[in-house]
Amino acid sequence: MHFKIGSQLFADALKKVEKVVNSKHNIPILQGIFLKVTEQEIICIGSDSTESFRYHIPVGEHVHVITPGTTVLPKQIIDITKKLKKDLELQLRDCNLTIKYGKKSEFNLNTFDPEEYPRLPKFDIDSPTLTLKGTDFNSLVKKTAFAASDSEIRPLLQGVHLITENNCMKWVCTDSHRLSQVTTKIDHNNPIKLVIPAKSLDRLVKTFNLQEDVRVYCESDNQVIFKNGNLFFYSRLLEGNYPDTSRLIPNDFKAEMKINRKELLEGLDRISGLANGVDGGSGVVKLHVNGVATITTHQSQIGKGIEAIEYEELTGEDDFTISFAANYMIDALKAIDDDVVNFKYQGNARPFLITPTSSEFEETQLILPVRTM
């Protein structure tokens, strides 16, 4: 293997795939980065056996292949290449890689046997199951993935449930205390049900170029593949039957209040410090609606706080109180883009909804109240 490449181009490629590479992985070969050089392109792969990134660099102005080949590079090459500012020349002899730059400078690295590196599954790149705008993909993830559970007790709740049927796509996420659901129309008839790890989706919105489309490939029962430009991401799916959440969202309410999202969010943010208490606390606040929306702390060790926020409109009951975790409401309000939101109340012991007044998606944030004395 022998090729020349611009240092920045190579460093950027390695950076894209190294996010899942663990230098302490219990499988030694996965501590490195797989590199395949052909006459048409250079392929870099990073993997932790559960998630994998694959990036393609086409041969062109700053890429010149002299001899094709394959190897697995030690992760230290990332730190080396990002500090180099000139074009690089890389040549592999047996298991030793020489990196030359400038007139006399060079590094020599020991590499791994590429035959030991796990092979990624093959798929039809020309036939994606779904194609989403990058901006839409970003919105769908940010409006749902935050509601995933952090607990290992129910692993399935650590994922986002993606469902398609009848030209409709739904993303649902719940940790059993709150639920986020977004629905949108798509040009796709075949039914799909996947549970994708929320942390994987969070990683993608931080890595993908969201100005480009995101293609989704569902050709396996246990794996999903995403493509964005020249970058591919492979993720294992969470196994099991996701809870049926459709029956959890009510249609009838005792009261509906329209209120400015930013004002409500800022009020909650200010008072949440007191609600959390000196030791983290429960973060519970009370919302009392009677002519104005008043938020108060509940049994705080530090002191008391009151935030009064004028609402824009109220229908139904005009005097009610409900308690909830402040951070759940803050997360829900941050997920919505609208200036005004609907607060839908169905009783102080029943879940309440937060929805936008207008949105390109049909979206719902559901939060369970907290019982207080």
Side-chain angles (χ1 to χ4, degrees), residues 221-236:
D221 292 334
N222 61 4
Q223 193 164 56
V224 63
I225 302 167
F226 297 87
K227 179 182 183 295
N228 175 246
N230 291 329
L231 182 63
F232 296 80
F233 178 76
Y234 300 69
S235 175
R236 284 188 186 173

Side-chain angles (χ1 to χ4, degrees), residues 156-352:
L156 205 60
L157 298 188
Q158 295 180 322
V160 176
H161 194 199
L162 191 162
I163 310 158
T164 67
E165 54 185 357
N166 301 323
N167 294 109
C168 185
M169 178 174 63
K170 183 186 297 182
W171 291 47
V172 184
C173 190
T174 180
D175 62 2
S176 77
H177 300 289
R178 57 181 169 176
L179 178 145
S180 298
Q181 177 177 292
V182 181
T183 305
T184 185
K185 295 291 184 181
I186 58 168
D187 185 17
H188 182 81
N189 286 315
N190 297 328
I192 299 172
K193 288 188 178 182
L194 310 172
V195 184
I196 307 167
K199 289 183 178 179
S200 297
L201 293 170
D202 282 334
R203 191 193 300 277
L204 289 186
V205 297
K206 295 174 183 176
T207 306
F208 279 175
N209 176 2
L210 298 171
Q211 300 307 308
E212 296 188 26
D213 288 349
V214 175
R215 294 186 173 191
V216 187
Y217 301 83
C218 311
E219 299 190 3
S220 168
D221 292 334
N222 61 4
Q223 193 164 56
V224 63
I225 302 167
F226 297 87
K227 179 182 183 295
N228 175 246
N230 291 329
L231 182 63
F232 296 80
F233 178 76
Y234 300 69
S235 175
R236 284 188 186 173
L237 297 171
L238 297 177
E239 297 181 3
N241 295 318
Y242 201 83
D244 180 9
T245 59
S246 59
R247 57 186 175 81
L248 300 178
I249 300 177
N251 294 313
D252 298 318
F253 306 95
K254 293 182 178 180
E256 295 190 32
M257 174 178 65
K258 292 185 187 300
I259 191 167
N260 184 280
R261 182 187 68 88
K262 185 178 180 181
E263 291 180 7
L264 181 57
L265 178 59
E266 290 175 346
L268 282 163
D269 189 47
R270 285 190 292 265
I271 207 168
S272 61
L274 284 176
N276 289 334
V278 294
D279 59 352
S282 60
V284 175
V285 297
K286 281 187 177 182
L287 172 67
H288 179 59
V289 176
N290 183 10
V292 68
T294 304
I295 307 168
T296 58
T297 54
H298 175 71
Q299 296 180 348
S300 173
Q301 296 176 353
I302 299 175
K304 295 181 179 180
I306 299 175
E307 286 280 347
I309 302 163
E310 299 285 344
Y311 52 76
E312 297 190 2
E313 182 181 322
L314 179 68
T315 58
E317 287 189 13
D318 59 1
D319 188 355
F320 62 86
T321 301
I322 191 166
S323 300
F324 51 85
N327 61 314
Y328 284 2
M329 176 71 101
I330 289 171
D331 288 344
L333 292 171
K334 286 182 176 179
I336 295 174
D337 301 317
D338 221 3
D339 292 335
V340 178
V341 295
N342 298 310
F343 181 98
K344 300 182 178 182
Y345 169 82
Q346 56 168 345
N348 59 8
R350 303 289 301 279
F352 62 89

